[in-house]
Amino acid sequence: QRILRLAEMCRRLETEEEKVLPFYPSSLAEWEQQDVRRILVASPNEPLARVMQDYVGLERFWQRFNKAKLEEKALERARAALANRNRHLRELLQKYLAGAALSQKVPRDPPPL
């Protein structure tokens, strides 16, 4: 109940995009979606199914949680890629600066004999 209450509080803080757009488009075919709707409307016969009906409200929570985890992993990968690129660019810059320093040490005109 506490998680559901917190979810309701968080709902008020969602952006318009989060409120309007669903997190995941359904990958089910139309006939599969109809089957799911029919099953959800029917009252469950099994005890476990009856207990699970109490947790249907957590579906959106888990969608958000999974979305946040996926974004976190994507950002970690992007950060690693940027760190590798940064390292490569620093190496190129060091080589360039080392080459520039050497060219300044070498005299341009040979000394007269």
Side-chain angles (χ1 to χ4, degrees), residues 79-91:
R79 183 177 181 169
L82 288 173
N84 285 339
R85 180 164 170 78
N86 189 21
R87 182 183 45 77
H88 177 69
L89 290 173
R90 285 180 185 270
E91 289 172 1

Side-chain angles (χ1 to χ4, degrees), residues 5-106:
R5 194 168 10 109
L6 289 173
E8 289 173 13
M9 290 170 52
C10 291
R11 174 81 172 141
R12 290 183 220 137
L13 300 174
E14 288 180 349
T15 63
E16 287 300 315
E17 181 181 334
E18 290 172 328
K19 288 180 183 177
V20 174
L21 298 176
F23 283 97
Y24 301 106
S26 179
S27 61
L28 299 176
E30 183 62 34
W31 63 273
E32 291 172 320
Q33 290 178 4
Q34 290 172 356
D35 285 346
V36 168
R37 284 188 210 107
R38 182 178 45 78
I39 291 169
L40 288 175
V41 170
S43 65
N45 297 331
E46 301 171 8
L48 178 62
R50 276 187 243 129
V51 171
M52 291 301 293
Q53 287 246 288
D54 295 338
Y55 296 99
V56 170
L58 290 175
E59 181 179 345
R60 225 162 132 77
F61 165 78
W62 286 113
Q63 284 179 342
R64 288 185 186 130
F65 179 82
N66 290 335
K67 183 178 185 283
K69 281 294 184 186
L70 288 172
E71 287 179 359
E72 179 184 15
K73 291 295 180 187
L75 289 172
E76 285 175 5
R77 287 185 179 176
R79 183 177 181 169
L82 288 173
N84 285 339
R85 180 164 170 78
N86 189 21
R87 182 183 45 77
H88 177 69
L89 290 173
R90 285 180 185 270
E91 289 172 1
L92 288 176
L93 182 62
Q94 285 177 350
K95 288 178 184 177
Y96 174 79
L97 292 175
L102 283 177
S103 66
Q104 287 179 358
K105 290 181 182 177
V106 175

